[in-house]
Amino acid sequence: MEKILNLISEKVSAAFAAAGYDAAYGRVTVSNRPDLCEYQCNGAMPAAKAYHKAPIQIANDVAAKLTEEPAFSEVQALAPGFLNLRLAPAFLASYLEQTRTAERFGVAADPKAGTVVIDYGGANVAKPLHVGHLRSAIIGESIKRIQRFFGNETIGDVHLGDWGLQMGLVIAELQVRRPELCYFDPDFRGEYPAEAPFTISDLEEIYPAASAKSKVDEAFAAKAHDYTVRLQQGEPGPYALWKHIMAVSVADLKKNYGRLAVSFEAWLGESDAQSYIPDMLRDMEAQGILETSEGARVIRVQEESDTKEVPPCIVMKSDGATLYATTDLATIKQRMQTWNPGRILYVVDKRQSLHFEQVFRSARKAGLVRPETELRHIGYGTMNGKDGKPFKTRTGGVMRLETLITEINDFVRAKVQENNLVTGEDVEDTTARIALAALKYGDLMNAPTKDYIFDLDRFAAFEGNTGPYILYTIVRIKSILARYGAWEALPIVPPETPEAKDLMLALTRLPDALELAYRDCAPNAICAYVYELAGFANKFYHETRILAEADEEKQKGYIALIGLTKRILETCIELLGFEAPEKM
Ligand code: ARG
């Protein structure tokens, strides 16, 4: 469907042409003075220079050509040369009726849509999922849904940190505690047990203990390093233990991501890229793009247009070890081979931006991607506590994601029960949905790059710019619709009140909000839109007697309008990654 601004612009452009001026001056924008008009065209001002005429004269000429135009109920030429426009109610209604019946509300799919890999989550195996990874999960999931909405095939890849020293640390610590395990017996020849010799709680205690020990105990640090190398060389015992660590961690991660309504199409990790490294390095050598710098093999990525230094990307250290960047490059190779994406998006902490700049440049230099494949890092800022420092537990430790989710749920459940929003079996479901909306909206309403302060009182409030407020608006509409009866087929009719018209005008702005969110990978554009839309919906609700309306035809129109509003709000929050409850 054509966007409404384009439709109006075409009409005004035609009027410019009919009055003898260049049609290009007919570009219309949403009014910045909603008290005066709904749309405006300022083209008469630049046209005045070109045609050596007073702008108001041009505006008058154009307005005269629009008197018969059925799309407008009002066209006013105003000094010095503005064209102020109001839409005809019937035109607005027929536009929204198309919106109502079109697939995806008439929002056009991306004509260049293809396969998009979204690298988000990024959890590190054996370490508990902590709030540092929360934003990646929330923002990444939303971006994935937005990419899919615009017609792309999407693959969310959790890209686990499953191959580093943390694995060696856990294995070394296990060896100290339980040397009798068959995994440490070099003469063991049988089948390793199917059951892991530890639980997730054990792992969560083992990793921090081992990590702390390695910092003070050199022999232990060396042992952990040794196990890391042996694991990477595929020695059966360490490898079998690693498999257990993976299985136990991944099951736990799936549970936690599940509570966030975050899911992944691919559960790959750094370990899955390792087999691509030897060939990749060989090709790079053959292409002559590797240089030696202080014993390491590097790719120079500095470009002439750079205003600051971009250091070379190190792909192999002098001892032959490969690095985080090597793994990311190999992962690109793996992704191109497996999915051949036209776009790879990385939703990772913005402090890694230099790393990604180096990796992307290296990938292009090495020809790992097609020239047109887009590589983009969506760097996000930090979630801070009220003290403005990175969010911590009350005792100052790193907050586990699970703990945070439980705390938010407890907070919201108390509110739900206190206000008797729902009872009995509905309490848990409603609580979980409100809590998730509070958490996700509180995050997504900020541009990803911005740091923000986690403030549960504010995020969970039912009024103001919050997730619960948006849910509340939807639930209220749902309850009217439920009391009315079948509403799905009712057509949109011309607005009769200013509140109805404002709501309808807001509904026509959906495509702009979604396109902005898509183009800029900015879910915050959708938050801004739903907040605006919810405001107009609530105003309409307050000013209109919907269920009490005696005139049946009028009532049908009201119901159709809130029905479309509900569907659009629901689509938007689905793109943000949460859902409204039935009651609240
Ligand atoms: N595991 C990494 C970390 O915790 C994040 C991984 C991000 N993705 C990537 N392709 N490098 O910092």
Side-chain angles (χ1 to χ4, degrees):
M1 242 172 101
E2 191 67 77
K3 285 199 281 179
I4 200 158
L5 263 181
N6 295 343
L7 287 179
I8 309 172
S9 293
E10 275 167 25
K11 295 180 192 299
V12 176
S13 298
F16 266 90
Y21 305 106
D22 192 334
Y25 293 113
R27 188 77 220 151
V28 172
T29 55
V30 173
S31 164
N32 52 23
R33 286 289 304 273
D35 51 324
L36 295 180
C37 60
E38 293 156 2
Y39 295 93
Q40 66 189 58
C41 171
N42 301 346
M45 261 75 78
K49 293 208 181 74
Y51 293 96
H52 305 292
K53 279 190 184 175
I56 189 68
Q57 192 186 342
I58 297 178
N60 277 325
D61 292 348
V62 175
K65 297 289 176 198
L66 286 169
T67 48
E68 301 288 300
E69 172 51 56
F72 303 119
S73 61
E74 195 182 307
V75 179
Q76 216 187 8
L78 218 75
F82 297 116
L83 272 171
N84 287 355
L85 309 164
R86 282 184 199 278
L87 286 192
F91 174 78
L92 181 55
S94 87
Y95 183 82
L96 278 184
E97 176 59 8
Q98 283 181 56
T99 302
R100 186 183 76 82
T101 49
E103 194 190 337
R104 285 196 311 265
F105 305 108
V107 178
D110 182 349
K112 295 207 197 97
T115 300
V116 179
V117 173
I118 304 102
D119 180 315
Y120 70 110
N124 296 316
V125 170
K127 301 186 195 174
L129 201 56
H130 63 83
V131 295
H133 290 101
L134 179 68
R135 298 207 70 195
S136 179
I138 292 178
I139 299 167
E141 179 72 22
S142 178
I143 287 176
K144 182 174 79 180
R145 293 175 184 212
I146 296 166
Q147 292 285 326
R148 193 186 300 145
F149 183 88
F150 278 88
N152 295 288
E153 184 80 47
T154 53
I155 296 146
D157 181 357
V158 66
H159 198 70
L160 298 170
D162 58 1
W163 202 239
L165 179 64
Q166 83 255 32
M167 295 301 183
L169 283 166
V170 172
I171 297 172
E173 180 65 14
L174 277 168
Q175 197 278 333
V176 172
R177 294 186 188 192
R178 301 177 61 186
E180 78 287 356
L181 288 175
C182 60
Y183 307 91
F184 302 114
D185 174 3
D187 300 325
F188 185 78
R189 289 289 170 273
E191 285 243 343
Y192 289 115
E195 204 52 33
F198 42 73
T199 64
I200 186 69
S201 320
D202 297 335
L203 278 186
E204 288 182 349
E205 181 265 321
I206 290 174
Y207 172 74
S211 170
K213 194 194 282 186
S214 72
K215 292 191 179 106
V216 292
D217 179 341
E218 247 172 67
F220 180 76
K223 187 193 194 86
H225 179 79
D226 181 49
Y227 271 120
T228 310
V229 174
R230 286 160 67 184
L231 167 64
Q232 299 187 339
Q233 288 166 346
E235 191 182 308
Y239 189 78
L241 270 178
W242 175 78
K243 280 277 176 206
H244 284 313
I245 300 173
M246 287 297 287
V248 169
S249 293
V250 166
D252 184 62
L253 286 171
K254 284 191 175 160
K255 190 183 85 200
N256 276 294
Y257 281 128
R259 287 184 79 184
L260 286 174
V262 166
S263 65
F264 299 92
E265 286 65 36
W267 278 83
L268 297 176
E270 296 178 6
S271 65
D272 295 288
Q274 301 310 311
S275 63
Y276 292 80
I277 290 178
D279 275 356
M280 180 183 78
L281 291 179
R282 199 171 317 121
D283 289 348
M284 288 173 171
E285 292 289 2
Q287 291 173 330
I289 61 170
L290 298 186
E291 293 176 36
T292 300
S293 168
E294 294 169 33
R297 298 298 278 164
V298 307
I299 303 176
R300 287 198 193 281
V301 291
Q302 182 86 33
E303 287 169 10
E304 261 178 41
S305 56
D306 290 334
T307 49
K308 57 174 191 276
E309 197 202 331
V310 182
C313 182
I314 307 173
V315 295
M316 200 200 297
K317 291 201 280 191
S318 51
D319 66 358
T322 55
L323 304 90
Y324 186 47
T326 325
T327 298
D328 261 325
L329 285 165
T331 303
I332 292 177
K333 193 174 162 76
Q334 171 260 315
R335 287 175 177 159
M336 293 310 291
Q337 267 181 31
T338 321
W339 302 300
N340 194 22
R343 183 179 292 151
I344 308 179
L345 304 174
Y346 295 80
V347 185
V348 182
D349 194 311
K350 70 180 174 191
R351 287 171 292 191
Q352 296 193 24
S353 68
L354 178 61
H355 162 75
F356 283 109
E357 189 60 57
Q358 293 171 309
V359 167
F360 295 166
R361 289 183 184 192
S362 300
R364 295 212 183 276
K365 242 181 141 169
L368 295 179
V369 292
R370 292 182 269 135
E372 67 278 15
T373 299
E374 184 189 345
L375 299 170
R376 182 157 164 187
H377 173 214
I378 297 129
Y380 56 82
T382 310
M383 179 172 111
N384 288 324
K386 284 187 184 164
D387 58 0
K389 301 210 186 87
F391 192 82
K392 291 265 156 66
T393 58
R394 267 182 229 108
T395 52
V398 175
M399 175 70 100
R400 291 179 42 180
L401 192 57
E402 211 177 345
T403 315
L404 179 73
I405 298 174
T406 303
E407 279 188 13
I408 300 173
N409 272 273
D410 291 346
F411 183 87
V412 170
R413 189 182 304 102
K415 277 179 104 153
V416 167
Q417 288 173 330
E418 201 178 297
N419 298 304
N420 251 318
L421 297 183
V422 290
T423 49
E425 286 179 357
D426 293 334
V427 171
E428 272 325 294
D429 179 68
T430 296
T431 297
R433 287 175 195 245
I434 297 175
L436 193 62
L439 175 66
K440 287 193 164 185
Y441 191 93
D443 186 305
L444 294 172
M445 66 184 284
N446 308 288
T449 46
K450 273 182 53 187
D451 298 346
Y452 74 95
I453 290 178
F454 179 83
D455 181 347
L456 191 49
D457 284 315
R458 193 158 59 81
F459 290 1
F462 286 19
E463 271 151 46
N465 193 0
T466 71
Y469 165 72
I470 306 298
L471 297 192
Y472 187 66
T473 308
I474 294 173
V475 169
R476 178 185 253 176
I477 297 177
K478 279 200 208 183
S479 104
I480 304 174
L481 293 174
R483 278 187 280 160
Y484 178 83
W487 57 273
E488 287 82 354
L490 295 177
I492 299 291
V493 302
E496 288 184 5
T497 62
E499 293 77 29
K501 196 173 190 193
D502 283 344
L503 177 55
M504 289 171 76
L505 288 170
L507 289 170
T508 66
R509 293 195 279 273
L510 172 75
D512 305 295
L514 296 186
E515 279 170 20
L516 182 62
Y518 176 57
R519 197 195 59 209
D520 292 353
C521 292
N524 53 302
I526 298 180
C527 292
Y529 178 70
V530 286
Y531 181 55
E532 183 197 21
L533 186 58
F536 286 116
N538 284 315
K539 230 193 217 135
F540 174 74
Y541 169 87
H542 281 297
E543 300 297 327
T544 316
R545 294 155 55 89
I546 302 175
L547 287 172
E549 176 57 57
D551 181 332
E552 260 182 47
E553 287 310 304
K554 256 191 190 178
Q555 187 178 46
K556 279 186 190 163
Y558 296 157
I559 293 290
L561 179 54
I562 60 169
L564 177 59
T565 305
K566 177 193 91 106
R567 287 174 53 215
I568 287 186
L569 284 172
E570 281 179 335
T571 299
C572 287
I573 64 168
E574 152 103 55
L575 293 177
L576 295 174
F578 56 89
E579 285 176 346
E582 276 320 305
K583 286 186 264 171
M584 79 182 258

